[in-house]
Amino acid sequence: MSILSQSKPMKKVPIIGTMPIILDMNVDSSSASEGEESGETKEIAQSLACLTSQNAYHVAPQLLYELQVEIFARVPCPEYWKLQFLNKQFSQLLKSSEIFRTRRELGLVKPYFFMLSSNDRRWTMFDEDFKSSQRLPKLSSDINFFSGDKETTCVGTQLIVIGKYKEGITVWRYELAMHKWFKGPEMITPRIMFGSASHGTNAFFAGGFKISKNGVEVVSIVEKYNAETKTWASIHPMHRRRKLCSGCVLRGKFYVLGGQNENNENLTCAERYDEETDSWELIPNMLADMTLSIFQAPPRIAVVNGNLYLLETSLNELRVYNVNTNTWKKLGIIPVMVHLTKGWGVAFKSVKDNLMVIGASSNRPHSQKMGTYKCYPSPDMEEIHWEELCCRGGSLKHFILNCCVMLA
């Protein structure tokens, strides 16, 4: 099922010297039928074609370009790829970042979940309420890539997937505007099991392990990826080597939590990176109160409204971090059975003012379908109330291999 738009009252946009455009300026991409959406997309394309025809000679080029960007910005993101076939000019416009900048300026940005579950070889994109979904194209990679560990990060309007390939570690990226997979660009030091987090069109990738002829080496290397230029840059390394760690951006700084060092020992310390000073600060004992084991997943963390939340996977508990005291407060039990798998197979993400947890539901212990829950957290609460979402856009197996959120 595609993410679809719902009809609302139309507004006319008159252009001197051309026929008027009839366009829905309040596109809601959460519902409606596929036929309606295809018709609307076709109507927008025809209107754009009219603007670039010989009838548009009275329109100033810059005004025409700005109007095109305004129109494209209101098309539902999952439909962009259909418009690239209109002509080369619109295809180039679609590839630029101008449309997405305009979406941000107009407040049209929406979150989308990109998820891969067990026994699946195609990612699925869900809207923020899980009312609709869309399957991504198949990724042309070998069995080693799909059977091995993979790390995913959404940065800008790209989904970055990094994993083992027959020739080593490779990077794949899915571009939302083109609805296509592309290979690369490769990391400066290819590695997996790192901690990552994105902020706008940039993302940080810290630690992990690299594979060489001499074997596996845990590193403290950190790289920054720019989605607009599609380039990698090295930044100052961390104080500690660590793999199986987690990253987040908290109050303007990049945090890396937990993981294991080169001796497979669990790390209770964390580090935070200040981009202005290009320096790392070590935070001792940040995870000292957590139950850690060698087989558990990287810390499940998410940031909402400047507060850091964590799943204590051994106890199925939600906790919130106090930056000033370096302590954690308990906020009650979560509705997903994360303790049975030591944190593996569960997605824990922030969306706007919400926390989302997805996995094997505690209410349906024998079900193979994922349970999806959200809450409105606050550090002042004594216990969080979770609301279950009905996945009308389809459902995946309850063991979630990868999940990340894109704002587009």
Side-chain angles (χ1 to χ4, degrees):
M1 182 186 300
S2 299
I3 297 179
L4 309 174
S5 59
Q6 186 174 16
S7 297
K8 289 186 178 180
M10 297 291 190
K11 294 183 181 180
K12 292 187 177 182
V13 184
I15 302 298
I16 298 175
T18 70
M19 62 183 292
I21 299 174
I22 307 298
L23 177 65
D24 184 352
M25 306 294 277
N26 300 291
V27 173
D28 178 1
S29 62
S30 64
S31 62
S33 68
E34 185 171 0
E36 289 174 353
E37 183 181 55
S38 299
E40 179 180 290
T41 303
K42 183 177 180 180
E43 182 178 334
I44 292 172
Q46 290 173 341
S47 299
L48 285 168
C50 172
L51 284 177
T52 56
S53 71
Q54 59 183 357
N55 295 326
Y57 60 88
H58 291 298
V59 182
Q62 183 61 31
L63 177 61
L64 180 60
Y65 175 80
E66 292 175 357
L67 182 60
Q68 291 170 0
V69 174
E70 289 270 337
I71 293 172
F72 267 98
R74 288 169 168 81
V75 176
C77 286
E79 298 302 303
Y80 278 172
W81 67 278
K82 299 177 182 178
L83 299 174
Q84 67 181 295
F85 304 108
L86 188 59
N87 59 39
K88 290 184 179 180
Q89 178 185 353
F90 293 143
S91 180
Q92 291 299 319
L93 177 61
L94 195 58
K95 293 177 183 179
S96 74
S97 57
E98 187 67 29
I99 295 171
F100 295 102
R101 276 197 290 266
T102 301
R103 286 181 63 83
R104 290 193 292 269
E105 292 171 1
L106 297 176
L108 299 174
V109 169
K110 294 184 179 182
Y112 297 98
F113 285 81
F114 288 80
M115 299 173 60
L116 182 72
S117 66
S118 58
N119 301 320
D120 202 350
R121 295 189 62 169
R122 293 179 66 180
W123 271 260
T124 302
M125 179 175 66
F126 292 90
D127 71 341
E128 61 181 302
D129 297 318
F130 287 79
K131 293 180 179 178
S132 56
S133 65
Q134 177 174 305
R135 299 275 276 177
L136 270 58
K138 289 184 179 180
L139 179 57
S140 300
S141 193
D142 66 358
I143 188 64
N144 296 316
F145 186 84
F146 281 97
S147 61
D149 295 310
K150 294 174 290 297
E151 313 294 331
T152 60
T153 305
C154 284
V155 50
T157 56
Q158 300 174 20
L159 167 64
I160 303 297
V161 182
I162 302 177
K164 293 180 182 178
Y165 197 58
K166 59 183 178 182
E167 300 172 354
I169 297 172
T170 192
V171 177
W172 285 93
R173 76 178 190 278
Y174 167 80
E175 295 192 8
L176 178 64
M178 308 305 293
H179 192 49
K180 288 182 181 178
W181 288 99
F182 299 88
K183 200 170 183 181
E186 301 301 329
M187 305 177 80
I188 300 172
T189 303
R191 58 199 192 278
I192 55 174
M193 292 298 182
F194 45 75
S196 65
S198 61
H199 184 64
T201 57
N202 293 304
F204 297 95
F205 297 76
F209 65 78
K210 64 179 183 178
I211 303 173
S212 64
K213 296 180 180 178
N214 299 324
V216 173
E217 179 185 356
V218 180
V219 298
S220 59
I221 294 171
V222 186
E223 295 180 27
K224 178 181 176 181
Y225 176 73
N226 186 305
E228 292 188 334
T229 61
K230 300 181 179 66
T231 57
W232 295 87
S234 297
I235 61 177
H236 201 76
M238 297 182 292
H239 293 283
R240 298 283 188 270
R241 298 178 180 226
R242 60 181 79 213
K243 62 180 179 179
L244 289 166
C245 48
S246 295
C248 69
V249 175
L250 176 64
R251 302 181 184 182
K253 296 183 179 181
F254 174 49
Y255 280 66
V256 182
L257 280 68
Q260 299 172 359
N261 62 15
E262 61 271 29
N263 299 316
N264 293 324
E265 299 169 334
N266 288 308
L267 296 171
T268 61
C269 63
E271 304 187 42
R272 62 178 161 227
Y273 174 71
D274 188 330
E275 192 168 12
E276 292 184 0
T277 61
D278 187 27
S279 61
W280 288 89
E281 178 186 358
L282 195 66
I283 309 173
N285 302 317
M286 187 171 178
L287 301 179
D289 295 335
M290 306 297 169
T291 303
L292 304 175
S293 70
I294 193 171
F295 299 110
Q296 78 176 54
R300 300 305 186 193
I301 56 176
V303 176
V304 177
N305 295 327
N307 294 300
L308 175 62
Y309 297 87
L310 175 143
L311 297 184
E312 217 297 11
T313 55
S314 65
L315 301 175
N316 260 39
E317 282 184 346
L318 176 67
R319 299 190 181 186
V320 61
Y321 181 64
N322 188 318
V323 177
N324 299 320
T325 62
N326 192 29
T327 57
W328 297 88
K329 175 184 175 181
K330 299 179 181 180
L331 294 176
I333 302 299
I334 63 170
V336 168
M337 298 183 292
V338 65
H339 62 293
L340 297 180
T341 57
K342 297 185 180 296
W344 298 102
V346 64
F348 182 57
K349 299 295 176 181
S350 59
V351 181
K352 297 181 179 177
D353 297 331
N354 299 328
L355 277 176
M356 305 283 295
V357 61
I358 307 168
S361 174
S362 302
N363 299 326
R364 298 181 300 278
H366 302 294
S367 173
Q368 294 296 311
K369 298 295 184 181
M370 67 182 188
T372 306
Y373 300 86
K374 73 174 182 179
C375 69
Y376 301 90
S378 170
D380 300 325
M381 293 181 175
E382 293 302 320
E383 187 167 359
I384 299 294
H385 171 71
W386 294 89
E387 173 191 353
E388 184 170 10
L389 298 181
C390 179
C391 299
R392 287 179 287 181
S395 185
L396 304 178
K397 294 290 184 64
H398 63 71
F399 197 89
I400 307 300
L401 297 176
N402 298 112
C403 176
C404 55
V405 180
M406 178 186 293
L407 299 176

